[in-house]
Amino acid sequence: MSNDDLFRAGVAARREGRWIEAIEALTTLTARQPDHADAQVQLGLAYGATGRVSEAKAAFRQALTHAPGDDDARLGLARTAFWTGDLDAAERELAALGASAAGSPDAQALRGQVAAARSAAQAPAAPPASIERAASAPETRAEPARAARPPSPAAKTEATVTKPAAPDRLAAALAHRKAGRFRAAEDAYRGVLARFPKDADRWVDLGIVRAFQGPTRFADARTALSRALALSPDHLDASLGLARVDLYESALDAAARRVDAVLARVPDHGEALGLQARIRLAKGDASGAETDFAGLVAKNPKDVEALTGLGDARRAQYRDAEAHAAFQQALALDPTSQDVRKRLEAPVRPRWLLSLNGGGSELSAGFKPWREGGVRLGYRFNEATVVSAGAEVTRRFDLVDTLVDARIDHRWSDTFASYFRVGGTSAPHYRPALLVEGGGSARLSPGLADGTIGATVATVDLGFARYDGAGDVKAASIGLEQYVMQGRLWFTAKAIGTISATEDRLAGFLVRADVLVTDRLQLFVGYADAPDSSDGQVYPSRSLFGGAIWSVTDTLTFRVTAAREDRVKSYDRTILNLGLSVGF
């Protein structure tokens, strides 16, 4: 069959109430020619007449992608929004109609229904077949006018059509969902499904609000979305819902495969393209994700999800002020969105961080106290990369050394991070003339979904120090960090080895526990039996240490550390250090 023959057959079948035949013909045509806007509109009408509202919506959106001025597609989107109880979206689509279409009997009738539903504080109980009756007005398209014909008896059977769900429950579910009351929304959707268990759209909605409740509900979300696919194997929203759950669980490759499968069927599917950009952002390509989201916004400036994604991509690059501008646009389009409001509540984060510290050590055996101080300035390029430079001034035995260094920290993914530091001392007495350090961390396990057992992280640190006249010292350590109690308590253990300039090999260990007493107060305590180096020499040392980190505000932090160090066959040290950090 040629494309023209398929179009004529599809339109004829739709007008005569042969919905399955119409959908088959028009689906074949749009697969061959996705930019056939008239066919997409006809397909949307056929889907709507059989109660497959989400697929009708996708067809109308596809028509608008290729024909942004298509008022029939715009009116179709307004109707699908009306049926699902999204009165705000219905009004936005009606407002976007062209002048002639806005004054048509169809648009006026729908506008009156929306106003009546809003004043009654509930969504309408409009049967899907009403799309046929509403579409019977004169058209500007070349094909015959869409006749007002009721569905055939076969189309009314439960096996082929989703019955209109209880509108009051749907309106309540939507209101709860927009307000972030996802458990209440779930209860409302379950009530609908108790009456209409074959409503694939509602199974999708149920899966999504379950996923929004966090990791403990992801399995339940998959069950609901899989049920939707079982009822409607070609349900795009169900496939994309499963892709979202994959994304939430960081199964990025699986999410990408699902999205690619949808885009293979509908190359310009806006939601799939937005999800593709989300996956790109999750993989760490914030700049590329920003480009993708910006392209979606250029196509549809009223796309709230694309604007939100654009803000997220900018925030990932530490361009918080620009991110807030995108979030403000999204909120203006959807003032009830709690998701966008939460993003706007996030403060603008500083790129610069200035750290100051100072302290001293009291020595036994009659030695004079040591004094030290330092300054460090860091700059965050984005969420993944920070560069910093600093200077440490120490006074020991009336000798002063100043060590200057630079450091770069980079997070390669949610799993891997690394750092590199290089520095040195001019005219050193006891500090290294050259210092090189590097290392990183790897998350071995994300822990349990309920957070009682959190992430397990492996660490490695390597160091090289060259001392004037005393040779080189090499050091290495491997460690393990275990988080528990939703990340509020964690334990660290390290094995440490050192080789001195005289090839003396010393080994030791360190253990430490950290706890977040409040969101702003962290306490820690630890014990080390490990080698310490100075002036090219390595000394066995045992120390007990502890301290506190108090974040007064998001940009001001105070630190205090105290330690008691016992150097074997040498003097003991009692250490106190104070510090503060200011972001700007």
Side-chain angles (χ1 to χ4, degrees):
M1 236 186 207
S2 69
N3 288 354
D4 289 342
D5 289 339
L6 283 170
F7 182 73
R8 283 192 290 268
V11 172
R14 183 190 64 77
R15 292 181 61 204
E16 294 169 11
R18 293 180 281 113
W19 316 116
I20 302 302
E21 294 177 35
I23 290 172
E24 288 178 352
L26 294 166
T27 300
T28 301
L29 173 55
T30 54
R32 292 183 187 175
Q33 192 176 350
D35 60 350
H36 197 315
D38 288 347
Q40 294 285 3
V41 170
Q42 292 287 333
L43 182 59
L45 294 171
Y47 276 140
T50 58
R52 295 164 68 174
V53 178
S54 65
E55 289 160 294
K57 187 193 317 182
F60 291 136
R61 282 178 174 168
Q62 182 74 352
L64 284 173
T65 297
H66 299 289
D70 193 314
D71 286 325
D72 286 325
R74 184 73 66 188
L75 191 56
L77 278 180
R79 288 194 184 99
T80 58
F82 178 60
W83 293 337
T84 57
D86 192 348
L87 303 183
D88 291 339
E91 288 178 339
R92 287 198 300 270
E93 299 298 347
L94 286 168
L97 289 172
S100 59
S104 69
D106 290 347
Q108 291 179 2
L110 181 58
R111 196 174 289 110
Q113 290 174 309
V114 172
R118 190 177 289 285
S119 64
Q122 64 179 18
S130 65
I131 196 167
E132 285 295 303
R133 294 191 289 273
S136 62
E139 300 174 315
T140 59
R141 297 183 182 276
E143 78 271 5
R146 298 161 189 155
R149 185 181 298 273
S152 64
K156 295 181 181 179
T157 64
E158 191 175 55
T160 59
V161 63
T162 301
K163 296 178 182 179
D168 53 342
R169 287 184 179 272
L170 282 181
L174 183 63
H176 289 313
R177 182 171 167 179
K178 282 192 170 185
R181 300 187 294 269
F182 300 124
R183 187 53 190 263
E186 178 183 356
D187 291 341
Y189 285 130
R190 287 169 63 89
V192 173
L193 287 165
R195 295 179 58 191
F196 306 106
K198 294 188 177 182
D199 188 336
D201 289 339
R202 300 293 80 74
W203 281 108
V204 171
D205 291 335
L206 180 63
I208 290 173
V209 296
R210 282 176 171 175
F212 285 169
Q213 293 177 54
T216 60
R217 302 302 308 280
F218 287 162
D220 295 333
R222 287 189 184 277
T223 299
L225 293 164
S226 298
R227 178 68 180 274
L229 276 180
L231 291 168
S232 179
D234 294 329
H235 204 301
L236 299 183
D237 287 345
S239 296
L240 292 175
L242 285 169
R244 286 187 183 278
V245 177
D246 288 334
L247 174 60
Y248 298 155
E249 294 188 310
S250 297
L252 302 183
D253 292 337
R257 285 193 295 270
R258 294 187 195 275
V259 172
D260 289 344
V262 171
L263 290 173
R265 292 169 56 194
V266 187
D268 292 320
H269 193 290
E271 185 177 350
L273 290 171
L275 191 51
Q276 188 178 61
R278 281 279 171 199
I279 295 168
R280 195 170 184 177
L281 179 59
K283 288 183 175 181
D285 185 5
S287 178
E290 180 184 7
T291 300
D292 291 346
F293 283 124
L296 291 172
V297 172
K299 288 182 180 179
N300 181 9
K302 295 184 178 181
D303 189 334
V304 173
E305 188 165 349
L307 281 165
T308 304
L310 181 62
D312 289 340
R314 289 172 174 172
R315 188 170 175 85
Q317 299 172 72
Y318 253 70
R319 291 157 50 200
D320 289 4
E322 295 174 69
H324 270 227
F327 296 146
Q328 289 283 7
Q329 288 180 267
L331 190 65
L333 292 168
D334 188 1
T336 63
S337 174
Q338 294 301 311
D339 195 32
V340 178
R341 286 187 182 277
K342 287 179 181 178
R343 284 168 163 81
L344 281 169
E345 290 171 1
V348 175
R349 298 164 298 177
R351 281 183 175 269
W352 293 94
L353 182 66
L354 176 65
S355 298
L356 304 173
N357 67 82
S361 303
E362 296 296 324
L363 277 60
S364 64
F367 292 112
K368 289 185 177 180
W370 292 357
R371 295 292 179 261
E372 60 187 47
V375 59
R376 182 162 219 89
L377 182 63
Y379 178 79
R380 182 177 289 277
F381 280 96
N382 49 50
E383 285 191 329
T385 306
V386 178
V387 296
S388 61
E392 301 173 7
V393 181
T394 56
R395 178 173 180 170
R396 300 178 183 177
F397 307 118
D398 292 329
L399 300 174
V400 177
D401 276 357
T402 301
L403 186 147
V404 179
D405 75 283
R407 173 171 170 150
I408 180 169
D409 292 75
H410 183 75
R411 178 173 54 80
W412 301 94
S413 68
D414 289 340
T415 304
F416 298 102
S418 64
Y419 72 92
F420 178 76
R421 179 189 179 205
V422 61
T425 308
S426 176
H429 300 98
Y430 45 85
R431 300 301 304 274
L434 174 64
L435 175 69
V436 180
E437 294 178 342
S441 63
R443 189 179 65 181
L444 304 180
S445 169
L448 300 179
D450 62 6
T452 53
I453 302 298
T456 303
V457 180
T459 64
V460 60
D461 299 278
L462 303 173
F464 170 85
R466 172 158 292 172
Y467 293 87
D468 273 3
D472 303 335
V473 174
K474 307 174 188 70
S477 75
I478 56 173
L480 202 65
E481 297 174 355
Q482 180 61 61
Y483 293 79
V484 296
M485 296 174 56
Q486 290 78 41
R488 302 192 70 85
L489 173 65
W490 63 100
F491 302 96
T492 303
K494 289 186 177 184
I496 302 169
T498 303
I499 303 175
S500 70
T502 58
E503 297 299 317
D504 292 332
R505 300 170 185 266
L506 294 177
F509 66 89
L510 176 148
V511 291
R512 169 172 165 163
D514 292 68
V515 61
L516 286 175
V517 180
T518 70
D519 288 342
R520 293 195 177 276
L521 179 60
Q522 173 186 340
L523 302 180
F524 63 91
V525 63
Y527 176 78
D529 186 346
D532 187 20
S533 61
S534 177
D535 195 22
Q537 302 298 313
V538 179
Y539 306 92
S541 174
R542 301 186 186 94
S543 63
L544 179 66
F545 60 90
I549 302 172
W550 178 32
S551 298
V552 183
T553 68
D554 291 337
T555 58
L556 176 62
T557 300
F558 287 104
R559 300 178 304 278
V560 57
T561 302
R564 174 66 178 179
E565 181 183 278
D566 175 16
R567 292 196 172 194
V568 178
K569 298 180 181 180
S570 183
Y571 49 81
D572 298 334
R573 293 173 62 196
T574 301
I575 306 164
L576 178 65
N577 275 291
L578 302 176
L580 67 86
S581 297
V582 181
F584 59 95

